[in-house]
Every structure is written in C-alpha cells, then in structure tokens.
Amino acid sequence: MPTSIGGFAISAPGFVLERIVMTRSQTTRLREAEAAPIDDTKVIDARFKVIGRKRRFARMLWRGLVTIFWAALIGFMIPPAWIAFDYLRDFFR
C-alpha cells in the first residue's frame, strides 16, 4: 500500500502503516488580530489597475519575433553548411 512520509513516496506493508500515524490529532485554531498602530503613520489610499494583459501581449510578440529570427538564421545557415559538408566529403574521398 503506497503512501508518503515527508514528501517521499514509500511502499510499506499494512502493519507498518498502522504505526505511522500523526501524534497530534487536535487542530490549532487561529484568528486574525489587528496589529498595534505605529506612531506617526499614514494610510495611503491609492487606485490601481491590472496591466498584465498588455505585458502578456508584448511578451508573446517578442517571443514570436525572436523565434522567427532564430528560424531564419538556421534556415539561412543550412545551405552553406550543406555545401561545406559536401566539399569536405569530396576532399576526403
């Protein structure tokens, strides 16, 4: 019967799994508490807007342009490399 302990997956027989139990079964209840105010502090209330969509589009455009650049560079380098390999093959015959 597989289980995990500490993030590691293990496979152990059933009698071993009975001994591997959590020792503390009670839950600890948490609550939020307001922090004590610091003297001479000001609260800044500001408007904001999410600008993620514009950045995402610019990033996609940039990646597309870089991909086209590398594809063109590889495409333009294939014929000279082919000729060089053909020349070397004829040279060593």
Side-chain angles (χ1 to χ4, degrees):
M1 173 178 236
T3 186
S4 66
I5 296 175
F8 296 100
I10 63 167
S11 178
F15 66 89
V16 174
L17 292 178
E18 291 175 4
R19 288 187 284 173
I20 302 174
V21 294
M22 295 180 63
T23 57
R24 184 177 175 137
S25 61
Q26 291 180 339
T27 59
T28 303
R29 301 187 76 175
L30 302 175
R31 65 173 185 250
E32 291 186 25
E34 291 189 27
I38 301 172
D39 293 338
D40 298 331
T41 59
K42 294 181 182 178
V43 176
I44 300 173
D45 188 18
R47 289 184 173 176
F48 67 93
K49 64 179 183 175
V50 177
I51 58 170
R53 185 173 293 265
K54 185 185 288 185
R55 294 181 126 196
R56 190 177 314 142
F57 177 73
R59 188 179 311 139
M60 286 174 37
L61 181 65
W62 178 252
R63 284 185 183 171
L65 290 173
V66 169
T67 303
I68 290 171
F69 167 76
W70 283 109
L73 184 67
I74 292 169
F76 287 129
M77 292 306 295
I78 288 175
W82 190 291
I83 292 170
F85 289 135
D86 195 32
Y87 175 77
L88 289 172
R89 185 186 60 168
D90 290 341
F91 180 75
F92 285 113
R93 275 193 181 176

